[in-house]
């Protein structure tokens, strides 16, 4: 769930009408008295159109109290993530998923767990539906990919990223299994030693 707070500031005391999203629930109202919050009794407000299946009309809350400032607390369902099965071959691991919400949300943090891989093996793409193409967002500052190394072994177990605007957004995570990290001291006419990490079985 996502927890929301709506602040109401009035110029004069009177009936207050507050519009909340259609999926709002667990609504609680407090008034501000001398800088302190005081819960408004349920006999002091009325909630109309509170139907969780109603995706068209907002929920209307009428407050019949005598304060100038209120805070309305409520919750809405959080975004959902639908993942496809993992596609795996000798070159890469690929997983597609959709992040969606019935509400228009901004700057949502999403994440995906990884099988303990190197940072340079990871590539994240976003599907640009306007241009019908996949866009590499791995280094895009707007999406702000953040890598999490849980056990400090230099490998990544989870990656987080920002979603600027959310309704339904498609992403594709690719783990490249052919990344080589050359750690050698070549000498002309000598032998090269190439060390590399891989994920999977051989």
């Amino acid at each position: 769930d996502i927890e929301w707070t709506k602040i109401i500031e009035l110029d004069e005391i009177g009936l207050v009408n507050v519009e909340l999203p259609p999926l709002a629930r667990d609504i609680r109202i407090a008034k501000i008295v001398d800088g302190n919050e005081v819960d408004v009794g349920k006999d002091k407000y009325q909630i109309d159109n509170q139907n969780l299946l109603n995706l068209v009309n907002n929920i209307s809350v009428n407050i019949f109290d005598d304060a100038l400032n209120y805070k309305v607390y409520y919750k809405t369902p959080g975004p959902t993530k639908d993942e496809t099965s993992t596609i795996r071959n000798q070159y890469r691991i690929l997983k597609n998923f959709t992040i969606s919400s019935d509400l228009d949300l901004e700057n949502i943090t999403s994440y995906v767990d990884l099988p303990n891989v190197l940072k340079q093996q990871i590539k994240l793409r976003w599907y640009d539906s306007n241009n019908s193409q996949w866009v590499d967002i791995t280094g895009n500052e707007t999406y702000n990919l953040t890598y999490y190394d849980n056990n400090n072994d230099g490998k990544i177990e989870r990656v987080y990223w920002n979603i600027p605007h959310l309704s339904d957004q498609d992403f594709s995570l690719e783990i490249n299994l052919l990344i080589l990290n050359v750690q050698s001291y070549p000498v002309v006419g000598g032998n090269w030693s190439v060390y590399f990490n891989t994920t999977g079985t051989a």
Side-chain angles (χ1 to χ4, degrees):
D1 286 351
I2 302 176
E3 297 182 356
W4 302 84
T5 302
K6 190 164 190 172
I7 298 174
I8 310 297
E9 297 180 347
L10 305 175
D11 294 327
E12 59 182 30
I13 293 174
L15 173 66
V16 182
N17 179 264
V18 184
E19 296 292 325
L20 301 180
L23 295 178
R25 59 174 181 260
D26 297 339
I27 300 169
R28 181 174 67 85
I29 301 172
K31 61 183 177 181
I32 311 301
V33 179
D34 297 328
N36 298 312
E37 291 188 21
V38 178
D39 277 351
V40 173
K42 291 188 176 181
D43 59 327
K44 295 290 186 179
Y45 62 90
Q46 177 183 0
I47 301 174
D48 296 324
N49 302 328
Q50 190 174 15
N51 179 357
L52 297 183
L53 297 178
N54 184 349
L55 302 180
V56 179
N57 298 318
N58 287 339
I59 294 175
S60 180
V61 181
N62 296 306
I63 307 173
F64 312 97
D65 207 285
D66 56 357
L68 289 174
N69 299 314
Y70 296 91
K71 287 186 178 180
V72 180
Y73 298 94
Y74 62 97
K75 297 178 181 179
T76 60
T80 59
K81 179 169 67 172
D82 295 320
E83 298 186 8
T84 64
S85 58
T86 301
I87 301 171
R88 189 185 191 108
N89 60 33
Q90 61 181 325
Y91 304 112
R92 64 179 182 170
I93 300 172
L94 186 67
K95 180 180 284 289
N96 296 328
F97 43 92
T98 300
I99 312 294
S100 59
S101 174
D102 291 325
L103 301 172
D104 288 329
L105 303 174
E106 296 181 354
N107 296 319
I108 300 301
T109 300
S110 186
Y111 72 89
V112 65
D113 290 320
L114 304 171
N116 201 37
V117 297
L118 297 171
K119 180 179 177 180
Q120 57 265 39
Q121 290 179 266
I122 303 166
K123 182 176 288 186
L124 185 66
R125 294 184 178 91
W126 162 70
Y127 186 70
D128 181 356
S129 57
N130 292 329
N131 296 307
S132 300
Q133 65 181 1
W134 288 97
V135 178
D136 184 356
I137 60 171
T138 309
N140 190 314
E141 292 183 359
T142 300
Y143 291 89
N144 188 30
L145 267 68
T146 304
Y147 304 90
Y148 183 64
D149 179 3
N150 183 45
N151 53 10
N152 297 315
D153 65 349
K155 297 181 180 179
I156 307 302
E157 288 82 35
R158 178 177 287 184
V159 62
Y160 295 88
W161 71 96
N162 176 64
I163 303 176
H165 184 270
L166 182 60
S167 51
D168 290 339
Q169 300 289 336
D170 295 317
F171 296 90
S172 180
L173 176 77
E174 178 182 322
I175 299 173
N176 188 340
L177 302 180
L178 296 179
I179 296 292
L180 299 181
N181 296 316
V182 177
Q183 302 173 11
S184 61
Y185 303 91
V187 177
V188 175
N191 295 323
W192 287 49
S193 296
V194 179
Y195 302 90
F196 62 93
N197 297 96
T198 184
T199 299
T201 58

